[in-house]
Amino acid sequence: MKLDEFYTVPCPVEGCEKKATVHRSMPAGYTGLCPCQAVWLQLGWSTTADYNRVPYLVVAPEEPKRRGGRG
């Protein structure tokens, strides 16, 4: 993978100065823990006027449900 396929996105939580690394192939709606481990974040993509994709993070409304597992 080339380095230009990754983006650095700041955590949207007030007071958190951590940043997450996002690969351009990650789908919108992907959830993960904030690098500070405080909240769940959800990935979104916006498009600029010249059609470049720009990632952004928002606080997820709830903890994601786990898929699969043992049981």
Side-chain angles (χ1 to χ4, degrees):
M1 290 186 205
K2 295 185 268 178
L3 288 178
D4 64 347
E5 295 178 342
F6 291 92
Y7 300 91
T8 301
V9 187
C11 175
V13 176
E14 186 175 335
C16 181
E17 296 181 12
K18 304 275 185 176
K19 296 181 189 230
T21 301
V22 177
H23 189 265
R24 71 178 184 168
S25 68
M26 293 175 81
Y30 179 86
T31 55
L33 273 175
C34 169
C36 69
Q37 305 285 313
V39 294
W40 286 93
L41 300 174
Q42 190 167 23
L43 174 65
W45 292 93
S46 61
T47 306
T48 63
D50 55 355
Y51 300 104
N52 289 324
R53 287 178 44 162
V54 179
Y56 63 90
L57 295 171
V58 295
V59 176
E62 60 184 38
E63 184 174 339
K65 295 176 178 50
R66 301 286 178 205
R67 287 190 262 170
R70 300 176 194 173

